[in-house]
Amino acid sequence: MFSDVIVPKETLLSAPGSEEPVFARLQPSFSGCLERCRLGERSFSRQYAHIYATRLLQMRDILADRATQKWGGVVPIRKLCDLQTGEQCIIVGTIFKHMELQPSILKEISEEHNLLPQPPRAKYISQSDELILEDELQRIKLEGNIDTPKFVTGSVIDIMGAEKNDGKFTVEDFCMADLPPQTPRQPLSSDRCLCFLLLASGLGLNGSRADSMMGLQLLVDMVTGQLGDEGEQSGAASISRVILAGNLLSQSTQDKDSTTKAKYLTKKTPAGSVEAIRLLDELLMQLVASVPVDVMPGQYDPTNYTLPQQPLHRCMFPSRYFEVEGFVVSLRFLGTAGQNISDIVKYSNMDDHLEILESTLRLRHLAPTALDTLGCYPFYQKDPFIMEECPHVYFSGNAPSYQCKRVTGPEGQDVLLVAIPEFSSTQTACLVNLCTLECEPVCFSSFSTEEDEDNEMNISH
Amino acid sequence: MNDSILAAFRCAVNFIYKTPKRGLITDTFMGVKKARRGGKRDKSPSPPVAEPEPPQLSEREKDLQELKKFDLDCKFGPCTGISRLQRWERAALHGLNPPQEIKDILLKESTDPEYTQSLWCDYPL
């Protein structure tokens, strides 16, 4: 663990020595493998049906194999158009959850209903939700042994059961695609095996108020080795890379007035994000001087709204140019800024980010709600959110609190799940040991101006 | 004067009632009525009129028919919004074995929009 690495050596209050100790940072090689998320031509002149069609095409064979493994080859796999009443069979398709409370643009603009737009809610589930399974040609309602609130629209699953006389399909059991194949972990060639990766998200920078700046500065100082004595500095040298997973800017930089006010009134006022990006650039300049940094844009960052969000443009960072995506060679990392998880929170009864992270891994799909309730680019050739290879570390940013878990797959896959907490509210980042795949939180607490008694600054591991 | 009125009337009737192969509908109706009044029950039914030979299709029309069949084949997924070649390549990528002849036709006439674009390319999203 990182706390074992930091061994204070009592060198702080001593006379200056003749030599300055120099600590070399470990630099394992990295390569980016997110080419499928880069958009070349951006044409929105097509319908979104293509994504669902390719999603089902890609997942159908995988699910057929899983069904055979789980239930044996006895029960036949049928398409919906070949169903016979009363026959026990397996069907493969995409789930559609019909929710009464789901905001619908058609209801809003419908004149006969004369409804006001629905206020945003925390959850859109209700007792009357229904699950429907769709394949290439038909759809059928599901009932029986299936937990409706847990599923979200867009998940592709296998269902075993039979069609009853009323045209509904009674579910006896279901199964998901489960974890994809994983290349075994190669140990990094390092004697002491001390190589860490820092994960942080939700920095929440804001031009006007700087609530978490103290904590951020502590984080930067710790990583660049400017904090602590020699023992702690040599420990910091084992942090080989930093990944910032989304929401570098806070929600308050998104100026809602600019969309409603007339242009001539807002012409002179600069956007809230300009000052915040300048702060971010200064922060990153300090970090990048010493350690490679990967920056993932999030929900409130200046990039496109639809998934996959494209990298932040380099013109926003005049001080330094750096890669905005990259993954470790012998370990596969996969992660998002958290929009997919928080979308599933709204449309299912699950609240735990880690539980949802695990369920998306079992479904083998990063963002099942991608088309329905989460903005997405209309892909036509392949669905880029389907996981083809199992990652070793799977993370998502902007969680309400830090959580981590190890899960194993049916073929022996070993994955570390990390829910990275939002830094602006929790002042916590995560350190992942790349050799042993263990994770621990690093908390930076700082002064609070409201409290009377003296608070000590501490960096706890 | 009468001729011209009659000609105009006939043009109008032709315009309204004429079908491409069978001539005026009024001709067909009149024919059926005459047959009934003439006590047809005694006669044996006349042999069915032989279907006229289907017109020979040109090479281009045959190709276009093949491409239309490819568009309408639901095995390869939705066809709107993407070009036929893109759909063919997607089908090949997912192992659906689209017929090679379709790709040959598409590559042969890669600049003609009637070949490259799908059946419903003129309709908006």
Side-chain angles (χ1 to χ4, degrees):
Chain A
M1 299 291 265
F2 193 66
S3 34
D4 304 328
V5 170
I6 307 281
V7 177
K9 279 186 188 162
E10 303 286 327
T11 50
L12 282 176
L13 292 174
S14 57
S18 51
E19 285 174 2
E20 289 288 321
V22 175
F23 304 102
R25 201 180 285 279
L26 276 168
Q27 298 271 337
S29 55
F30 294 81
S31 71
C33 38
L34 260 185
E35 281 315 309
R36 62 187 178 172
C37 285
R38 291 261 197 193
L39 296 175
E41 47 97 31
R42 296 176 201 201
S43 159
F44 281 84
S45 62
R46 48 176 168 256
Q47 295 189 350
Y48 286 92
H50 296 277
I51 305 189
Y52 280 127
T54 50
R55 193 182 292 183
L56 188 56
L57 261 178
Q58 286 177 261
M59 301 280 276
R60 192 175 258 284
D61 292 332
I62 301 166
L63 282 167
D65 287 336
R66 287 284 180 218
T68 321
Q69 279 171 20
K70 187 167 180 183
W71 297 307
V74 182
V75 187
I77 300 179
R78 293 249 182 268
K79 292 211 167 180
L80 285 181
C81 46
D82 300 325
L83 279 184
Q84 290 170 28
T85 321
E87 184 201 9
Q88 192 193 40
C89 58
I90 298 172
I91 50 177
V92 179
T94 315
I95 291 271
F96 175 77
K97 188 151 101 170
H98 178 80
M99 292 180 275
E100 275 302 315
L101 297 174
Q102 183 176 359
S104 163
I105 188 71
L106 295 175
K107 280 187 203 162
E108 279 180 28
I109 61 175
S110 157
E111 282 163 5
E112 54 194 47
H113 287 275
N114 221 13
L115 284 177
L116 294 167
Q118 258 193 18
R121 301 164 68 108
K123 281 203 183 287
Y124 293 98
I125 52 172
S126 74
Q127 287 297 322
S128 59
D129 292 341
E130 287 176 329
L131 283 183
I132 298 167
L133 193 81
E134 297 185 355
D135 75 355
E136 293 91 353
L137 295 174
Q138 293 186 358
R139 49 159 41 186
I140 193 165
K141 271 198 196 150
L142 299 176
E143 60 184 10
N145 187 19
I146 193 158
D147 191 9
T148 307
K150 268 210 152 43
F151 285 92
V152 285
T153 303
S155 333
V156 187
I157 60 173
D158 270 326
I159 295 190
M160 179 169 77
E163 185 192 355
K164 294 289 183 249
N165 281 330
D166 59 355
K168 293 189 188 173
F169 197 85
T170 307
V171 179
E172 288 163 31
D173 199 5
F174 67 89
C175 108
M176 300 193 270
D178 229 326
L179 276 63
Q182 186 185 56
T183 46
R185 239 188 322 146
Q186 291 158 34
L188 289 175
S189 56
S190 167
D191 306 326
R192 286 155 63 220
C193 197
L194 288 172
C195 197
F196 290 90
L197 186 117
L198 185 81
L199 292 168
S201 89
L203 303 185
L205 287 170
N206 187 331
S208 47
R209 294 167 57 217
D211 288 343
S212 61
M213 281 308 287
M214 183 66 180
L216 270 176
Q217 197 57 54
L218 280 177
L219 174 83
V220 170
D221 287 342
M222 186 201 86
V223 172
T224 51
Q226 290 166 35
L227 272 187
D229 68 352
E230 283 177 25
E232 288 172 347
Q233 286 175 357
S234 70
S238 58
I239 297 178
S240 53
R241 199 168 188 97
V242 174
I243 296 185
L244 299 175
N247 283 357
L248 309 156
L249 270 48
S250 99
Q251 189 178 9
S252 50
T253 57
Q254 301 222 306
D255 196 358
K256 294 191 180 53
D257 283 344
S258 61
T259 47
T260 49
K261 268 188 183 165
K263 275 288 177 214
Y264 70 93
L265 288 170
T266 55
K267 203 167 143 184
K268 293 283 183 193
T269 50
S273 49
V274 170
E275 184 60 33
I277 284 281
R278 199 186 56 77
L279 271 176
L280 178 68
D281 187 35
E282 281 173 9
L283 206 75
L284 289 174
M285 190 170 67
Q286 297 171 47
L287 264 182
V288 162
S290 152
V291 66
V293 181
D294 290 318
V295 175
M296 287 169 62
Q299 196 180 355
Y300 306 126
D301 293 327
T303 179
N304 55 319
Y305 164 74
T306 51
L307 290 189
Q309 288 181 303
Q310 297 304 290
L312 295 167
H313 202 279
R314 72 171 94 165
C315 72
M316 290 191 249
F317 306 107
S319 324
R320 270 281 198 275
Y321 170 60
F322 43 80
E323 285 279 298
V324 295
E325 54 180 61
F327 290 96
V328 187
V329 153
S330 59
L331 279 185
R332 199 172 184 94
F333 277 68
L334 181 65
T336 63
Q339 293 112 309
N340 52 336
I341 307 295
S342 34
D343 200 59
I344 297 179
V345 166
K346 281 193 267 180
Y347 293 99
S348 75
N349 66 347
M350 296 189 277
D351 279 317
D352 186 13
H353 277 233
L354 204 67
E355 193 192 336
I356 298 176
L357 204 60
E358 188 180 349
S359 69
T360 55
L361 185 64
R362 299 258 177 227
L363 278 171
R364 220 187 269 208
H365 200 275
L366 261 181
T369 54
L371 264 193
D372 191 36
T373 43
L374 197 59
C376 181
Y377 174 76
F379 295 100
Y380 73 92
Q381 207 167 37
K382 285 181 87 159
D383 186 344
F385 302 116
I386 295 181
M387 297 182 208
E388 275 151 17
E389 246 201 74
C390 188
H392 296 97
V393 179
Y394 181 34
F395 63 87
S396 90
N398 297 298
S401 62
Y402 163 78
Q403 282 170 304
C404 86
K405 186 177 167 183
R406 279 293 262 277
V407 296
T408 46
E411 281 102 31
Q413 297 99 330
D414 182 22
V415 188
L416 172 70
L417 298 179
V418 184
I420 311 172
E422 206 178 352
F423 196 86
S424 52
S425 50
T426 59
Q427 310 283 299
T428 310
C430 315
L431 275 169
V432 178
N433 185 330
L434 297 179
C435 302
T436 60
L437 276 198
E438 285 165 348
C439 184
E440 59 172 331
V442 182
C443 195
F444 302 89
S445 60
S446 57
F447 291 122
S448 171
T449 47
E450 291 94 40
E451 293 188 25
D452 288 332
E453 69 235 30
D454 275 353
N455 269 340
E456 271 193 76
M457 262 202 297
N458 56 8
I459 304 169
S460 58
H461 300 292
Chain B
M1 175 80 159
N2 282 346
D3 287 331
S4 63
I5 291 175
L6 195 61
F9 179 68
R10 200 163 249 183
C11 281
V13 168
N14 279 349
F15 177 74
I16 295 165
Y17 291 112
K18 195 175 179 74
T19 54
K21 289 178 188 172
R22 302 209 181 123
L24 298 174
I25 286 183
T26 42
D27 285 345
T28 318
F29 277 141
M30 276 156 49
V32 168
K33 279 178 189 170
K34 272 180 189 169
R36 279 187 189 161
R37 281 189 210 127
K40 210 183 160 196
R41 282 164 242 150
D42 296 328
K43 291 182 192 169
S44 55
S46 50
V49 178
E51 282 287 320
E53 284 285 322
Q56 282 296 98
L57 294 171
S58 71
E59 183 71 30
R60 180 188 166 82
E61 281 167 0
K62 277 190 203 157
D63 284 347
L64 288 176
Q65 270 203 346
E66 286 297 309
L67 292 175
K68 274 183 204 170
K69 272 194 223 165
F70 173 66
D71 273 348
L72 295 172
D73 192 349
C74 53
K75 194 170 68 168
F76 304 120
C79 70
T80 53
I82 51 175
S83 74
R84 282 173 174 149
L85 191 63
Q86 283 174 325
R87 185 161 176 258
W88 193 97
E89 277 163 2
R90 174 178 77 189
L93 185 68
H94 292 296
L96 298 170
N97 294 325
Q100 184 63 34
E101 303 85 55
I102 303 284
K103 187 171 188 187
D104 295 337
I105 297 173
L106 290 171
L107 290 174
K108 193 172 65 173
E109 298 280 346
S110 51
T111 49
D112 188 350
E114 255 196 273
Y115 275 73
T116 53
Q117 298 304 317
S118 76
L119 204 49
W120 291 287
C121 60
D122 290 328
Y123 289 85
L125 266 189

